[in-house]
Amino acid sequence: MQDIKEIWKQAVAAALTELAQQNGIVDIIRAEQVVVEIPPKPELGDLGIPMFPFAKVLRKGPPQIAQAVAERLSSSGNAQWGTVAAEGPYVNIRLEKAAVTKQILQAVLEHPEDFERPQSLKNRKIMVEFSSPNTNKPLHLGHLRNDVLGESISRILAACGAEVRKVCIINDRGIHICKSMLAYKEFGQGKTPESEGVKSDRFVGDWYVRFHKMSQEDPSAEERAQELLRKWEQGDAETVSLWKQMNSWAVEGIKKTYERTGVSFDQYYFESQTYLKGKEEVLKGLEQGFFYREEDGSVWVDLTADGLDKKVLLRKDGTSLYITQDIGTAIFRHHDWPFERLVYVVGSEQQYHFKVLFKVLEKLGYDWAKNLYHLSYGMVNLPEGKMKSREGTVVDADDLIDSLKAMALQEIKEKNREEAVGDGESVAEKIAVGALHYYLLQVSPTKDMLFNPRESLSFNGNTGPYLQYMGARISSMLRKKAGSLAESGSVKPELLSDEAEWALVKTLSQYPETVSLAASQMDPSIIAAYLYELSKAFSRFYHDCPILNAESADLAATRLALSKAVLEVLKSAMNLVCIPFLDVM
Ligand code: ARG
């Protein structure tokens, strides 16, 4: 759809260009150069456009320019969209409510796909890596933030027209998994997730915790785990077979959690399949003189000239490190799907790692290395305190969702809504996921945060359930439409004259640019904040303006159409931040 702001930007740019030409200046002023603001006071109009940026080119004072632009626009073909006035250095525009409302309702209700999908990233190929668990333990609260960030950003980028490929690296190799394996070997022979009645990833994680206990009592445990890693690298059959078994338990369980939260991937990469490629590349770089060998045999890169440090790329015994596999993984990924950009959603504690990784790939001659981007996010903890996986005090993802679900179910029962909602279990699960996701995304990715389960579930506040409730409320109203006054009326946008209606229309009109902004900033909290604004604007409208009982059939039909448009945008935006939609609640 032709965005209202866009229409004005173009009109202002055209007026400025004309003005320039009249004064013998050849510069062309483009719509992108025009900034649209919201005036501080509503009396000033709906949009305000500062003229400061053009003073230099036009060799005139901003107020003079504003005057000339306003005059021009007042007599141009844009009169149907609003009235224009100069106010100091600003060109202020008061939008023509009926025309704008008509346009928005049409755009949202008749071509929702176009409206909800601004094409700001059309055909860009963007790969997004997220979650990327280790296979020695189940997902925890930190992963939940990572998962929803990655999934949400992928959806937002795709909404802007990008071709998105979601990938995950499963770190299935290394000392961590050998630790779980060792504890299992010594204490768990014969036991299985089924025999113990435990979710399979948890089963593996429990052995990791057990290893930690073991190693406190027996200092040789660390060495024995290292020995297991060496055996694995040598392809020892028994070790490899145990490794396969434990990994498949871990991965199977982890995938169940993804399913539960609505997270999915287009491709999984496994460290065990990429680390040798990384090793090969490091050795190639050594031959070519980009890297050097220390006396003990280890291979290093010296990045001091790039403002970084020296970093080991292969251990003295030739075994690979965390970074080694990342080199191989990135190369495979670009080969499989030549991306324009690869975004790594990984915690802020790995900032240095990614700086080094990107530089190393650049040194190896991969020119696409400059298109790699680390989307770093902050820590998340519970109000009770810090999580430590070795000590088993980590907040397990499934447990957390289970407890949110139990609280939601209790709320449904207390409100006597069991019958109304139908399948209480499934509704409670969706409320739990909605509460969790919204709470995690509401904060900008870079900030550390606390997750407060109670607060996340509150029905009246800035929460996921509040948004779900808003959706259910509108849905229920639309179901009641049959036989109501609204059914016999027709939609007449000029009837909407209340301030609350106008505020709602304006909020709706901001959706496409909000999605583009969230994509360019890679920040889902922008969509979360928009959702809250939209819900507040709808609440005010719902409170101030009777809908099904409006004064006339036409007004009822028009207000209902507006509500329908809100529902459409609400659903679309909720999907972008991974909040399940509910028809009844
Ligand atoms: N599995 C790693 C960890 O738990 C995170 C992997 C991040 N992604 C990457 N390409 N290095 O710390």
Side-chain angles (χ1 to χ4, degrees):
M1 79 139 202
Q2 171 78 297
D3 188 319
I4 296 293
K5 271 191 198 165
E6 219 28 67
I7 292 176
W8 284 107
K9 277 186 182 182
Q10 277 163 16
V12 169
L16 285 164
T17 305
E18 250 180 66
L19 199 62
Q21 279 164 0
Q22 251 178 25
N23 289 287
I25 298 160
V26 291
D27 293 63
I28 290 175
I29 291 159
R30 285 166 295 115
E32 303 91 81
Q33 293 168 271
V34 177
V35 181
V36 179
E37 297 174 4
I38 308 285
K41 284 181 274 177
E43 308 87 85
L44 292 172
D46 300 302
L47 309 174
I49 303 179
M51 292 296 120
F52 307 106
F54 312 107
K56 209 167 155 200
V57 207
L58 295 178
R59 291 179 230 121
K60 275 191 203 307
Q64 243 181 311
I65 302 174
Q67 203 66 46
V69 168
E71 271 165 31
R72 237 160 251 278
L73 290 180
S74 300
S75 56
S76 76
N78 282 291
Q80 56 155 331
W81 297 111
T83 48
V84 187
E87 173 85 30
Y90 279 85
V91 170
N92 288 334
I93 296 156
R94 183 171 302 286
L95 296 173
E96 196 49 60
K97 294 182 188 174
V100 173
T101 306
K102 185 170 166 212
Q103 206 221 11
I104 293 294
L105 289 183
Q106 256 173 8
V108 180
L109 297 174
E110 288 166 29
H111 307 284
E113 271 285 306
D114 296 343
F115 181 78
E116 290 154 10
R117 304 182 79 84
Q119 296 299 306
S120 48
L121 294 171
K122 199 173 159 77
N123 299 334
R124 303 283 300 275
K125 283 182 91 157
I126 308 177
M127 188 178 265
V128 183
E129 183 216 278
F130 60 103
S131 196
S132 298
N134 296 338
T135 51
N136 60 328
K137 52 187 185 229
L139 301 180
H140 56 65
L141 177 54
H143 288 111
L144 288 173
R145 186 174 191 191
N146 182 318
D147 294 358
V148 73
L149 266 174
E151 181 68 37
S152 171
I153 283 166
S154 301
R155 292 182 190 188
I156 292 169
L157 295 172
C160 291
E163 207 184 312
V164 176
R165 190 163 181 83
K166 298 183 284 178
V167 299
C168 178
I169 174 89
I170 307 247
N171 293 115
D172 61 348
R173 182 212 75 90
I175 192 65
H176 54 85
I177 179 72
C178 291
K179 290 179 176 176
S180 295
M181 280 159 57
L182 185 72
Y184 179 75
K185 240 169 109 96
E186 297 188 5
F187 301 100
Q189 284 297 1
K191 291 186 182 167
T192 65
E194 294 79 34
S195 75
E196 305 309 294
V198 188
K199 189 164 171 271
S200 60
D201 48 342
R202 167 77 69 96
F203 180 81
V204 177
D206 288 346
W207 292 112
Y208 186 70
V209 174
R210 181 66 190 264
F211 171 85
H212 191 65
K213 257 200 230 134
M214 218 171 110
S215 70
Q216 277 170 340
E217 290 151 16
D218 171 8
S220 80
E222 289 282 348
E223 184 40 43
R224 280 184 288 139
Q226 290 290 352
E227 176 58 29
L228 216 48
L229 180 59
R230 273 191 293 276
K231 275 183 159 174
W232 182 87
E233 293 221 356
Q234 287 153 10
D236 172 64
E238 193 193 324
T239 310
V240 169
S241 132
L242 176 61
W243 170 81
K244 274 195 185 145
Q245 174 61 272
M246 292 199 85
N247 265 314
S248 72
W249 280 330
V251 172
E252 184 191 308
I254 288 170
K255 284 186 178 170
K256 283 195 179 130
T257 309
Y258 289 152
E259 233 166 79
R260 205 176 171 188
T261 52
V263 162
S264 66
F265 296 95
D266 299 304
Q267 192 170 354
Y268 286 97
Y269 286 85
F270 293 87
E271 174 174 344
S272 58
Q273 292 163 12
T274 65
Y275 82 107
L276 289 175
K277 173 76 180 161
K279 216 163 146 172
E280 183 191 309
E281 287 287 322
V282 171
L283 293 173
K284 215 159 75 187
L286 179 68
E287 242 169 63
Q288 291 168 325
F290 305 136
F291 310 139
Y292 65 96
R293 205 185 271 282
E294 274 293 348
E295 263 169 36
D296 67 357
S298 53
V299 180
W300 293 68
V301 59
D302 184 355
L303 294 174
T304 43
D306 300 287
L308 301 168
D309 245 325
K310 292 177 178 162
K311 165 91 188 158
V312 58
L313 301 175
L314 279 181
R315 289 201 192 86
K316 61 177 184 217
D317 59 3
T319 56
S320 55
L321 296 109
Y322 178 51
I323 190 160
T324 326
Q325 56 87 25
D326 254 331
I327 298 170
T329 310
I331 294 169
F332 278 139
R333 283 175 175 164
H334 190 268
H335 174 265
D336 293 347
W337 198 77
F339 50 76
E340 267 175 59
R341 197 157 205 224
L342 165 52
V343 180
Y344 290 89
V345 181
V346 182
S348 53
E349 70 281 1
Q350 296 197 23
Q351 264 169 14
Y352 188 75
H353 167 77
F354 284 102
K355 278 192 190 148
V356 173
L357 174 66
F358 300 166
K359 272 275 168 266
V360 166
L361 285 162
E362 215 175 281
K363 286 205 185 292
L364 285 168
Y366 294 102
D367 60 348
W368 45 261
K370 61 183 185 306
N371 304 329
L372 304 175
Y373 178 77
H374 174 203
L375 184 89
S376 152
Y377 67 91
M379 301 256 277
V380 46
N381 274 303
L382 288 189
E384 294 73 301
K386 247 184 139 82
M387 320 194 295
K388 289 209 181 76
S389 68
R390 290 184 194 183
E391 277 137 56
T393 60
V394 56
V395 184
D396 179 86
D398 292 303
D399 287 351
L400 184 66
I401 303 171
D402 285 344
S403 76
L404 288 169
K405 181 177 170 181
M407 286 193 260
L409 202 55
Q410 195 187 350
E411 182 95 5
I412 292 172
K413 285 185 181 151
E414 272 167 20
K415 286 192 172 143
N416 281 322
R417 300 281 302 154
E418 276 172 289
E419 216 168 286
V421 301
D423 184 355
E425 282 280 329
S426 118
V427 169
E429 172 96 5
K430 286 183 174 155
I431 294 174
V433 170
L436 175 75
H437 284 171
Y438 187 78
Y439 203 95
L440 294 173
L441 288 184
Q442 202 192 9
V443 178
S444 276
T446 50
K447 291 196 184 127
D448 289 345
M449 66 179 294
L450 290 180
F451 178 75
N452 185 327
R454 279 257 161 243
E455 215 174 86
S456 79
L457 275 170
S458 161
F459 281 73
N460 36 26
N462 186 6
T463 65
Y466 169 71
L467 300 171
Q468 289 173 318
Y469 177 61
M470 201 59 68
R473 194 149 81 168
I474 303 176
S475 303
S476 130
M477 194 166 68
L478 291 171
R479 283 193 296 270
K480 285 189 203 136
K481 173 194 164 192
S484 79
L485 193 58
E487 209 171 31
S488 56
S490 32
V491 177
K492 295 191 175 148
E494 65 278 13
L495 294 179
L496 300 183
S497 58
D498 195 280
E499 253 324 296
E501 291 163 337
W502 179 232
L504 190 51
V505 169
K506 281 201 285 186
T507 308
L508 283 177
S509 77
Q510 284 154 8
Y511 185 55
E513 65 199 75
T514 306
V515 176
S516 296
L517 183 68
S520 66
Q521 310 270 307
M522 287 206 237
D523 184 352
S525 77
I526 293 171
I527 302 286
Y530 175 83
L531 269 165
Y532 188 49
E533 281 311 309
L534 181 64
S535 297
K536 274 196 311 194
F538 180 79
S539 268
R540 185 177 151 213
F541 158 72
Y542 191 76
H543 177 268
D544 292 359
C545 309
I547 302 172
L548 293 179
N549 302 316
E551 294 113 74
S552 72
D554 287 350
L555 187 58
T558 312
R559 284 181 178 160
L560 201 67
L562 180 57
S563 309
K564 221 170 161 177
V566 171
L567 184 65
E568 175 61 43
V569 172
L570 189 77
K571 269 189 185 169
S572 162
M574 279 169 71
N575 178 54
L576 293 184
V577 287
C578 311
I579 306 177
F581 181 80
L582 286 166
D583 279 313
V584 263
M585 206 170 153

